[in-house]
Amino acid sequence: MALKSFFTTDEEFGQLEDRDATTNIIGYIDSIIAPYEAGKEKEILFKFTVSNDIKRIEVLIWDLALINKHMSGLLSNRVIEINDAYCRAVPNPKKREVLNLVPFEIIIKEYTNISFLGYYNLKSLVSNEVQKVTFDDIHKVEGLIGYVRSIFSLTHNRKGNMTYGLGAITDKTRKITVQVKQFLESKLELGDHVNIRGLVDGQDKTRKITVQYLLIDDHFFLDELITIMCESMNDIKLNTEEESLPLEEIRRGNRPARC
């Protein structure tokens, strides 16, 4: 029997309950974020995402002993069964919908059991593929395809108390800035063809956005610079089937994309 038949269904994801201490899910690991300091107490957090091909749920491991116990067995595309984990509702569910994330997260406890069921063949995926779209369609779809315009590197905010990754992609004419929340390193090179999954900064009015006003025919129009917000470099995939963009074409893609 195919492993997918065991996956937690969309309906079952919709039936998850906040503060359920014995939650069970099955799916494959589609993204992993390396351990990092998080929370007010700066505890070490290891986070990964489990998918059923359509819906996704974030899984958190906070305790260092638990991280050491489970991390070596948690690999991309592995199908796992999580039994007796703690389920918690999360805020801002609309923001998560863009990434197909359900409005809950799973927390691994000392009594939680994680079983390895096999590997999932991603070649058969259709619904989880990034759609090929233009920069003009960026607010309408989840996936964005472009070429690396600026190498991704570590930077920090003005106060110096937060770091993140920063880079840019181009469609040969325009460029879009990409921020990566949990950034460690990037092996992408200039001109690499990439698929990106993330949130468009400015879609949600609660987000801080870069705004300019243009005076056209005595009327002011909102002119927003577009930024893509990614959780980690796992959201930026190299497409090896496409040739890299030559340097002379990369240089032409320098006009900021706006919405």
Side-chain angles (χ1 to χ4, degrees):
M1 185 179 295
L3 286 174
K4 188 175 180 180
S5 63
F6 296 107
F7 288 1
T8 300
T9 64
D10 292 356
E11 181 181 2
E12 290 169 336
F13 271 132
Q15 295 171 349
L16 293 177
E17 292 287 345
D18 184 31
R19 293 179 290 181
D20 179 0
T22 56
T23 298
N24 307 318
I25 64 167
I26 300 177
Y28 71 92
I29 299 173
D30 79 341
S31 69
I32 300 173
I33 298 177
Y36 63 97
E37 291 184 350
K40 294 181 179 180
E41 303 299 325
K42 297 297 182 181
E43 297 178 88
I44 301 298
L45 171 64
F46 177 61
K47 183 162 62 174
F48 60 97
T49 306
V50 172
S51 173
N52 68 356
D53 266 4
I54 300 175
K55 297 295 185 180
R56 307 166 69 229
I57 188 167
E58 290 183 327
V59 182
L60 285 61
I61 307 180
W62 283 98
D63 187 82
L64 186 57
L66 288 178
I67 293 174
N68 292 332
K69 175 182 177 181
H70 294 293
M71 189 170 67
S72 62
L74 299 172
L75 306 174
S76 294
N77 303 346
R78 263 195 166 183
V79 178
I80 60 173
E81 179 178 10
I82 300 177
N83 285 304
D84 298 333
Y86 187 86
C87 182
R88 182 172 65 185
V90 294
N92 302 321
K94 290 185 178 180
K95 293 182 181 180
R96 302 170 67 86
E97 287 179 6
V98 179
L99 301 175
N100 290 335
L101 287 168
V102 300
F104 297 92
E105 60 188 13
I106 297 295
I107 301 175
I108 302 300
K109 297 291 188 177
E110 62 275 3
Y111 55 80
T112 303
N113 181 61
I114 303 178
S115 302
F116 168 49
L117 303 183
Y119 282 95
Y120 190 55
N121 183 9
L122 293 179
K123 292 182 180 179
S124 64
L125 288 180
V126 175
S127 60
N128 206 36
E129 290 182 352
V130 178
Q131 303 175 52
K132 292 185 177 181
V133 297
T134 67
F135 278 30
D136 297 314
D137 298 322
I138 192 169
H139 290 290
K140 303 176 183 178
V141 296
E142 174 189 341
L144 179 66
I145 292 178
Y147 299 90
V148 176
R149 175 65 178 80
S150 299
I151 293 294
F152 287 86
S153 58
L154 188 69
T155 186
H156 57 79
N157 62 354
R158 291 181 179 179
K159 294 182 179 180
N161 58 3
M162 183 181 72
T163 61
Y164 57 92
L166 188 68
I169 61 171
T170 180
D171 64 350
K172 303 181 183 181
T173 303
R174 292 162 294 180
K175 70 172 182 179
I176 292 179
T177 298
V178 181
Q179 288 189 19
V180 183
K181 183 178 179 181
Q182 303 298 337
F183 181 83
L184 295 176
E185 63 175 354
S186 171
K187 297 181 180 179
L188 296 173
E189 299 180 355
L190 283 178
D192 280 348
H193 192 268
V194 293
N195 300 341
I196 294 182
R197 179 172 57 193
L199 293 173
V200 178
D201 198 15
Q203 280 186 319
D204 190 321
K205 294 181 180 179
T206 63
R207 282 180 168 271
K208 183 179 180 181
I209 58 177
T210 302
V211 177
Q212 293 183 358
Y213 288 89
L214 299 182
L215 181 60
I216 303 177
D217 295 332
D218 296 326
H219 292 84
F220 282 100
F221 293 87
L222 188 63
D223 187 30
E224 300 175 5
L225 289 174
I226 297 174
T227 300
I228 303 297
M229 313 296 289
C230 298
E231 280 293 319
S232 73
M233 289 302 294
N234 289 320
D235 291 329
I236 305 175
K237 303 292 187 182
L238 174 65
N239 184 0
T240 57
E241 296 181 359
E242 294 287 339
E243 293 185 2
S244 296
L245 198 65
L247 182 59
E248 56 270 20
E249 292 191 49
I250 294 174
R251 289 169 175 162
R252 297 192 190 105
N254 201 39
R255 177 164 59 88
R258 300 177 184 274
C259 58

